[in-house]
Each structure stands twice: as structure tokens, then as C-alpha cells.
């Protein structure tokens, strides 16, 4: 039964609706959306778990908080800490963290007891021994990680550096380029982590079909190409 795919959280967030009608009879203090394989996080009082499309518990265990399943794994928290479970409630790994993210691109961000970030693979094993001040989700096998110096770089699926460049701000790659900021301002960098052009801007948007909107320091708005050349002036300097 795939009714859960069309189910939506009711406005009062106590149950799910299907075509405007309750999907099941039970009521909870809070519910979140359904995710494959057809389970939704719910909470009642101090207990949290997952339910199926009939509103029945997916397993007998209870947690303090539960979140949606992503790539067949869900983050949960208890008095022992945070970890991930499988759809039947079984633990993916024995370790406990101070926080866990959601799986994306076969990897998941976790934060240890010292407040440092790393990634684990689909089996729950650390991707590398490196720990970062902050680490983000993977996209197309690359994630952003921030070192102790406050500068960010790109790492690959093994946790190794994609390039040696570090920036004050950095995004994941999109259409072959990433937004980055150094002491001079914002720009786009290529897959080698090198600036795609010489100039800097007050802000840049990602490239779409070879063009990106940017704001200059005089507040003018332009559209540039991947070489940094002006394609269109949208707003003159004020």
C-alpha cells in the first residue's frame, strides 16, 4: 500500500491526511512527513518512534526524538546520544554522537562529544579520521569542511582534500562551480578550487545555464558568464 506517498501532515500536526481525510485513527503530539520505506516520525509525550501508513508502530523501541528516513536510515536521539536506525528499529552502529544529520549521497554528517564534525558511510563507519570545526552534506561526492582556522575547503567521499584552496566562505559545487569568498569578496571557483575570474563581488548567485546574477560593491546588479564577463546590467550603481 503506497497511500503514504500521497499523505500530508495535518495542519494541527497530530496526524496525517490522505485526500483531506485522516489516514488512520491515532493521534499524536507531533508528526513529521512520511519517507521511504513508508514510515513517519511521531512523538507522544516524552516518547518518539516511527509509524507505518496504518498508524501502527514500526518497531517496539522508543526514543526521545526521531527524524525521517533518508537512504533507508533515520537519525534518532536518546539519553545515550544520537545515532541512526534501520526501518525495523535496529541500530546501524553502536557509537553515539552529540548530533547526527540525515544521509545524503551515501554519507552523513555527525558531531562528536568535543563538538567537532566528521562523516560516516552507509554502514556507519567513519569516512576518515579527520575532524572539522564544521562539515556539510555531500553533493555529487564533494562536501564543504571548515578547519580550525575558520577557512573552508572541499573534501571528497573519502574525506580527502579535493584541492588545497581554503576560503572564508564556501559552497558545494553546482554546475561545475562553487560560490566562494576571500578577503576581497565573493566569486566563483572551479573544480580545482581556483577563481574562475579576477574580480570580486559583494554577492554572487550560482551559475544556471552558464550565467549568474552578481551584486557589485556599488550595489549595481549584473549577470555574468562563467568567465566573469558582463552579459546584462540589471541595475545601475546607486
Amino acid at each position: 500500500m503506497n497511500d503514504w506517498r500521497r499523505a500530508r501532515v495535518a495542519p494541527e500536526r497530530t496526524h496525517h491526511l490522505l485526500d483531506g481525510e485522516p489516514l488512520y485513527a491515532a493521534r499524536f503530539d507531533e508528526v513529521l512527513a512520511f519517507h521511504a520505506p513508508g514510515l513517519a516520525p511521531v512523538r507522544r509525550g516524552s516518547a518518539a518512534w516511527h509509524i507505518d501508513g496504518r498508524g501502527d508502530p514500526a518497531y517496539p523501541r522508543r526514543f526521545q526524538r526521531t527524524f525521517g528516513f533518508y537512504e533507508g536510515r533515520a537519525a534518532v536521539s536518546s539519553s545515550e546520544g544520537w545515532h541512526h536506525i534501520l526501518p525495523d528499529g535496529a541500530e546501524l552502529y553502536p557509537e553515539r554522537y552529540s548530533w547526527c544529520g540525515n544521509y545524503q549521497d551515501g554519507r552523513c554528517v555527525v558531531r562528536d562529544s568535543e563538538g567537532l564534525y566528521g562523516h560516516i558511510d552507509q554502514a556507519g563507519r567513519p569516512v576518515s579520521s579527520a575532524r572539522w570545526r564544521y562539515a556539510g552534506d555531500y553533493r555529487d561526492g564533494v562536501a564543504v569542511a571548515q578547519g580550525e582556522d575558520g577557512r573552508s575547503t572541499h573534501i571528497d567521499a573519502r574525506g580527502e582534500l579535493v584541492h588545497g584552496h581554503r576560503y572564508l566562505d564556501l559552497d558545494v559545487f553546482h554546475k561545475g562551480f562553487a560560490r566562494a569568498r576571500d578577503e576581497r569578496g565573493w566569486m566563483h571557483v572551479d573544480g580545482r578550487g581556483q577563481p574562475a575570474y579576477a574580480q570580486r563581488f559583494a554577492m554572487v548567485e550560482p551559475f544556471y545555464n552558464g550565467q549568474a546574477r552578481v551584486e557589485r560593491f556599488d550595489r549595481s546588479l549584473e549577470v555574468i558568464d562563467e568567465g566573469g564577463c558582463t552579459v546584462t546590467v540589471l541595475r545601475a550603481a546607486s
Side-chain angles (χ1 to χ4, degrees):
M1 184 174 70
N2 291 325
D3 286 346
W4 63 268
R5 296 186 182 277
R6 296 188 293 113
R8 298 294 180 265
V9 175
E12 56 270 41
R13 304 189 67 81
T14 60
H15 60 289
H16 294 86
L17 301 175
L18 179 65
D19 298 330
E21 298 296 327
L23 182 62
Y24 46 76
R27 295 294 182 269
F28 305 93
D29 293 340
E30 182 185 22
V31 303
L32 298 178
F34 278 96
H35 287 265
L39 303 178
V42 300
R43 179 181 60 82
R44 183 181 290 146
S46 60
W49 63 99
H50 290 87
I51 60 169
D52 60 22
R54 297 181 296 273
D56 296 329
Y59 46 76
R61 301 184 65 181
R62 296 295 181 266
F63 304 95
Q64 291 179 341
R65 295 196 69 182
T66 54
F67 299 88
F69 278 90
Y70 291 83
E71 299 186 359
R73 297 146 180 85
V76 300
S77 69
S78 67
S79 59
E80 299 175 341
W82 290 63
H83 64 290
H84 288 86
I85 62 170
L86 299 174
D88 62 0
E91 297 180 0
L92 181 60
Y93 48 79
E95 292 81 11
R96 295 294 184 268
Y97 296 96
S98 65
W99 174 84
C100 293
N102 295 321
Y103 272 89
Q104 181 173 304
D105 209 21
R107 299 289 186 266
C108 182
V109 182
V110 295
R111 187 175 67 234
D112 64 23
S113 60
E114 297 178 348
L116 298 178
Y117 290 76
H119 293 91
I120 56 177
D121 64 18
Q122 289 186 317
R125 298 169 301 206
V127 170
S128 75
S129 60
R131 291 295 178 266
W132 305 89
R133 177 186 290 186
Y134 176 78
D137 289 331
Y138 276 88
R139 178 191 291 174
D140 298 328
V142 176
V144 174
Q146 184 186 75
E148 285 299 312
D149 61 358
R151 293 177 177 269
S152 297
T153 188
H154 289 116
I155 58 175
D156 64 19
R158 297 171 297 177
E160 298 179 358
L161 296 178
V162 174
H163 51 73
H165 299 277
R166 294 174 181 264
Y167 295 96
L168 297 176
D169 280 299
L170 186 65
D171 284 347
V172 291
F173 288 104
H174 176 80
K175 307 294 185 182
F177 294 88
R179 301 187 323 130
R181 181 175 68 88
D182 61 13
E183 288 79 2
R184 294 172 53 204
W186 284 90
M187 77 210 108
H188 295 90
V189 298
D190 61 21
R192 298 170 298 170
Q194 296 180 347
Y197 42 75
Q199 62 264 50
R200 299 293 187 270
F201 299 95
M203 183 53 67
V204 298
E205 295 181 357
F207 278 110
Y208 289 91
N209 295 334
Q211 297 186 356
R213 192 178 78 158
V214 301
E215 180 180 353
R216 292 189 178 273
F217 293 104
D218 60 8
R219 298 190 64 188
S220 61
L221 293 178
E222 297 181 1
V223 174
I224 63 170
D225 62 20
E226 294 174 351
C229 297
T230 300
V231 175
T232 305
V233 175
L234 300 177
R235 184 179 70 197
S238 58

